[in-house]
């Protein structure tokens, strides 16, 4: 069945460091791929998405490219800020949404 | 963007009581709503899918008599945790989408603590 495998955390970075959170997927067909962010004490918010191969989703300095050949959708940001501290979930939409286990990111000043 | 609102955000109750959590889509009609449960430091576990006007579809292992879901209108779904026990303490999140392939919008979540 469909599934999402996400890099385990927690991840701790200094401000302005580069971030990569790996995400790979298994799916039949051509799913849409998403990154959601959950700030402390809040629900999930859509960060970015891509609906077909080679699409690049971007938002708030974060980017992820839908790579069909490697079945990946890695999240990247060139320079993280303290306000980026949150839990990040990779997800795919096949016949239903499947979420990764989440990666906790802490950015220290 | 679309907004999904959950209420209450926090609830503390005594063991044996029932708790109702509401999920509302504020600016769109949600044909489908989903209820998730999130354990600390874990991902979301889909509990059930509810379509307006029909019975909810529960995931394997979720007790339908304990977690009652009602989706009486296109903008409101409710989750009632019946006879709550401390092991039911968790973060419950709803989500909604407008059509079959629509984007998923999440509520803010409801943290339930059962004493």
């Amino acid at each position: 069945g469909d599934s999402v495998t996400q890099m385990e955390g927690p991840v701790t970075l200094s401000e302005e460091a580069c971030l990569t959170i790996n995400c790979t997927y298994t799916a039949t067909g051509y799913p849409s791929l998403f990154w959601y962010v959950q700030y402390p004490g809040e629900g999930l918010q859509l960060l970015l998405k891509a609906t077909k191969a080679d699409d690049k989703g971007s938002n708030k300095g974060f980017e992820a490219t839908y790579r069909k050949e490697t079945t990946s959708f890695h999240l990247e940001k060139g320079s993280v800020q303290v306000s980026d501290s949150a839990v990040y979930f990779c997800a795919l939409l096949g016949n239903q949404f499947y979420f990764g286990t989440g990666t906790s990111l802490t950015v220290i000043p | 963007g679309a907004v999904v609102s959950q209420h209450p955000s926090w609830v503390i109750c005594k063991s044996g009581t029932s708790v109702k959590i509401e999920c509302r889509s504020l600016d769109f009609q949600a044909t489908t709503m989903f209820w998730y449960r999130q354990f600390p430091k874990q991902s979301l576990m889909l509990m059930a899918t509810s379509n307006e006007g029909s019975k909810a579809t529960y995931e394997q292992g979720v007790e339908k008599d304990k977690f009652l879901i009602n989706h009486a209108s296109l903008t409101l779904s409710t989750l009632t945790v019946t006879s709550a026990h401390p092991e039911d303490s968790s973060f419950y999140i709803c989500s909604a989408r407008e059509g079959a392939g629509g984007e998923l919008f999440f509520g803010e979540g409801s943290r339930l603590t059962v004493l």
Side-chain angles (χ1 to χ4, degrees):
Chain A
D2 295 359
S3 67
V4 175
T5 301
Q6 194 175 334
M7 158 183 167
E8 289 189 18
V11 175
T12 303
L13 294 174
S14 297
E15 204 165 24
E16 299 184 3
C18 292
L19 169 72
T20 299
I21 301 177
N22 291 335
C23 172
T24 57
Y25 68 90
T26 302
T28 53
Y30 303 96
S32 295
L33 301 173
F34 304 80
W35 276 100
Y36 284 86
V37 57
Q38 184 179 30
Y39 297 103
E42 299 183 16
L44 274 71
Q45 303 173 27
L46 178 64
L47 179 60
L48 54 84
K49 67 179 181 182
T51 57
K52 62 182 187 296
D54 299 326
D55 269 2
K56 177 186 283 188
S58 61
N59 185 25
K60 299 181 181 179
F62 291 89
E63 292 183 340
T65 301
Y66 189 143
R67 302 279 188 203
K68 190 170 184 294
E69 63 276 14
T70 54
T71 61
S72 65
F73 193 56
H74 304 322
L75 181 68
E76 298 176 324
K77 186 172 186 180
S79 176
V80 294
Q81 305 300 313
V82 173
S83 56
D84 294 326
S85 298
V87 180
Y88 293 82
F89 293 91
C90 185
L92 73 80
L93 175 59
N95 59 332
Q96 66 168 285
F97 268 87
Y98 296 88
F99 289 87
T101 51
T103 302
S104 174
L105 170 67
T106 301
V107 180
I108 54 178
Chain B
V3 176
V4 174
S5 178
Q6 268 182 256
H7 178 80
S9 301
W10 297 83
V11 57
I12 301 173
C13 69
K14 291 182 179 179
S15 186
T17 60
S18 294
V19 175
K20 179 185 285 188
I21 301 170
E22 294 186 345
C23 178
R24 294 181 184 274
S25 57
L26 299 185
D27 56 359
F28 68 102
Q29 293 186 324
T31 51
T32 306
M33 287 185 170
F34 304 87
W35 286 96
Y36 296 86
R37 183 172 178 179
Q38 185 180 30
F39 295 96
K41 299 185 179 180
Q42 294 188 30
S43 188
L44 288 79
M45 181 191 79
L46 179 64
M47 299 174 65
T49 301
S50 72
N51 293 297
E52 185 266 338
S54 62
K55 288 185 179 180
T57 302
Y58 289 81
E59 296 299 304
Q60 193 171 12
V62 178
E63 299 175 62
K64 61 179 69 176
D65 293 331
K66 180 163 189 63
F67 298 99
L68 301 178
I69 291 172
N70 183 278
H71 193 163
S73 77
L74 284 171
T75 59
L76 174 65
S77 176
T78 59
L79 166 67
T80 301
V81 183
T82 62
S83 186
H85 291 285
E87 59 265 29
D88 299 324
S89 299
S90 193
F91 196 54
Y92 293 89
I93 302 177
C94 75
S95 66
R97 65 184 184 199
E98 191 167 10
E103 183 176 330
L104 202 62
F105 297 96
F106 287 84
E108 313 95 321
S110 299
R111 182 164 299 284
L112 169 64
T113 300
V114 184
L115 302 177

